[in-house]
Structures are given as structure tokens and as C-alpha cells.
Amino acid sequence: MEIHRYEQFWFALSLLLIVGFIGTITFGAVGAGVQMISDDGGTVEPTFQDINEHEKFAQQDGNQAVHVEDDHYEVAVRAQQFGFFPGTGQPIEVPEGSTVTFYVTSPDVIHGLDIIGTNVNTMVIPGQIAEFTVEFDELDGSDREEYGIVCNEFCGAGHEDMAGQLHVIPSDEWDGDQS
Ligand code: CUA
């Protein structure tokens, strides 16, 4: 069968487009590291009492990351109308060069937790504990690194003001539990 040269050209072009589309979809689904929000961190009754009694939230004392082992730390954050606790008022503090697992949940409505300048960006759903792990680099010199945290889900009248801070602290200034 004879296929005309122009027809071959358009066949090839359509094939290329299809392969290209599959490529971009695959990249978006796998390569970009985007995950659906899940209850990987477990579930909890969305009330202040049950959240505060949850293992991870009960161990969160103040605004500093809790030391687990070696360079691994944990931070439990309650996102609520209209702030992050810890995070709003007092910045969340993590030491430089640490690997930090966050546990985030909400006692009221859906919020977001977006740490500007990092790839941390999660929905916070009442009853579900979002869990994710972030590595913070060593600081060059002694300056601390400051990140803003914002809520990116409309959660009510105070949504625009729902913000916080995360500070990466130099190890010689870190006074958290180093044991
Ligand atoms: Cu919380 Cu918007």
C-alpha cells in the first residue's frame, strides 16, 4: 500500500503529539511528586480534646520541633480558624540539617498549609492527619532562615490573615532537646 508522503508526515506528527501528551500526564502524576491528600498520619476525632490527646499532638510542647532520633524531628501543627499552632504568634523552630516529619490536622474546617519557598503544600482536613517529611539544609553561616506559612483554602472571614512562620535555626543556637 502506498502512503502519501504528506500523510506519513501527519501520521508521525499525531503520534508525536499523543506520546507527548502521555509524557506530560505521566510527569504530572509521578515525576512532580504530587500526592493526593490522604490520612497516612491516621485519623482523629476533629475536636480540640481528641487532637490534644493524640500521641503526636500531646508530645508537641511549645513551638520547637520534637527530637526523635539522630537528625530526625517531629512537629505537630493544629490548623484552625484562624492560625497555625504552633506557627502563628511564635514561629515553628527546626534545627538546620534536620529531617522533620509534620503531622497536621484541623478541629474545625478545611485549611491549607503552604510553606512558601518549599514544596510543602497540603490540605488540612478535619479528622485526617496529614503527614509529610521535609529535609532542611544546613545554613551557610549563622543566619537563621525564615519561611512564611499561609493557609490556601478559603476557611472563613479570617482566611487572609491565617499565616505563620517557620524558622530554621543554626545548630549552635538550637536549645531544643539534643539527646
Ligand atoms: Cu485557614 Cu484559610
Side-chain angles (χ1 to χ4, degrees):
M1 182 176 72
E2 163 100 32
I3 300 176
H4 196 279
R5 208 155 57 88
Y6 288 137
E7 212 164 9
Q8 282 181 348
F9 170 76
W10 288 112
F11 276 152
L13 198 66
S14 342
L15 201 66
L16 200 70
L17 270 176
I18 290 166
V19 170
F21 288 149
I22 292 173
T24 58
I25 290 168
T26 308
F27 176 76
V30 185
V34 176
Q35 288 181 327
M36 281 306 288
I37 167 84
S38 73
D39 55 5
D40 281 352
T43 57
V44 64
E45 283 302 312
T47 64
F48 283 94
Q49 189 183 342
D50 284 44
I51 292 171
N52 291 336
E53 285 173 358
H54 182 278
E55 178 203 354
K56 300 300 179 189
F57 291 82
Q59 74 171 7
Q60 179 66 53
D61 180 24
N63 63 319
Q64 287 196 325
V66 176
H67 188 226
V68 184
E69 54 174 6
D70 303 328
D71 57 358
H72 189 204
Y73 291 77
E74 289 179 340
V75 178
V77 182
R78 207 176 63 235
Q80 70 189 61
Q81 289 167 321
F82 295 98
F84 299 99
F85 302 93
T88 300
Q90 268 191 313
I92 297 169
E93 291 186 343
V94 304
E96 61 175 323
S98 59
T99 300
V100 182
T101 301
F102 289 84
Y103 299 90
V104 192
T105 194
S106 158
D108 44 40
V109 300
I110 293 177
H111 298 278
L113 186 150
D114 189 349
I115 305 180
I116 311 296
T118 72
N119 62 353
V120 174
N121 185 353
T122 186
M123 265 176 109
V124 184
I125 298 179
Q128 295 195 359
I129 300 173
E131 176 187 341
F132 49 89
T133 298
V134 187
E135 286 177 29
F136 292 96
D137 292 338
E138 301 286 340
L139 299 168
D140 321 322
S142 63
D143 277 351
R144 61 185 53 198
E145 203 162 357
E146 303 185 356
Y147 294 97
I149 304 175
V150 295
C151 172
N152 56 15
E153 297 287 336
F154 181 76
C155 54
H159 163 70
E160 309 85 281
D161 300 320
M162 185 166 167
Q165 290 260 312
L166 180 144
H167 292 179
V168 182
I169 310 291
S171 32
D172 56 0
E173 284 179 32
W174 177 257
D175 57 358
D177 176 18
Q178 295 285 298
S179 59

